Amino acid sequence: MAELKCGVENCTYNENCYCSKGDIMVGGKHACSCDDTCCESFAQRREGQDSYTSSLSHPSKTISIDCEAVKCVYNSNYKCVADHVDIKGSGACDCRETACATFKER
């Protein structure tokens, strides 16, 4: 599991830059750069909505990350093996406006 820092403040799962979802999926099957990836687990927080309450009682610093970006050096059998992962996309309205900033092409 990776230490995850999420910069997508308006994601319903984001609580103080930690994820309360429990696991995420990074998309980008044909990604050659971080901007070709996305957090497919992103869900936009609606106005007036508190962060999502999942099976986790508190957001977690470490998280399981499934990853479709097979050209990334940290992808091992569709799992992220990086020690630390940054998700970017401040102000995103759609998962395509997010990205895995840790992506590094093989």
Side-chain angles (χ1 to χ4, degrees):
M1 295 208 320
E3 181 179 304
L4 178 78
K5 182 171 182 187
C6 181
V8 189
E9 298 94 357
N10 63 319
C11 179
T12 194
Y13 301 113
N14 186 321
E15 189 172 324
N16 297 319
C17 296
Y18 295 121
C19 187
S20 64
K21 185 172 184 306
D23 61 352
I24 64 167
M25 168 63 83
V26 171
K29 189 184 296 187
H30 303 290
C32 294
S33 72
C34 73
D35 289 335
D36 296 332
T37 65
C38 68
C39 179
E40 291 190 358
S41 301
F42 169 81
Q44 186 177 8
R45 183 177 297 145
R46 300 185 197 292
E47 194 170 320
Q49 175 188 22
D50 290 331
S51 55
Y52 178 77
T53 304
S54 69
S55 59
L56 296 176
S57 58
H58 302 288
S60 182
K61 190 173 187 177
T62 58
I63 192 167
S64 176
I65 302 172
D66 292 328
C67 181
E68 294 179 337
V70 294
K71 294 181 183 178
C72 180
V73 298
Y74 301 113
N75 186 315
S76 177
N77 292 327
Y78 296 94
K79 291 285 188 186
C80 180
V81 295
D83 291 331
H84 181 87
V85 172
D86 288 309
I87 301 294
K88 66 179 186 172
S90 182
C93 297
D94 180 281
C95 76
R96 292 169 296 194
E97 297 172 347
T98 66
C100 176
T102 306
F103 175 91
K104 184 176 178 184
E105 190 174 18
R106 293 182 192 267

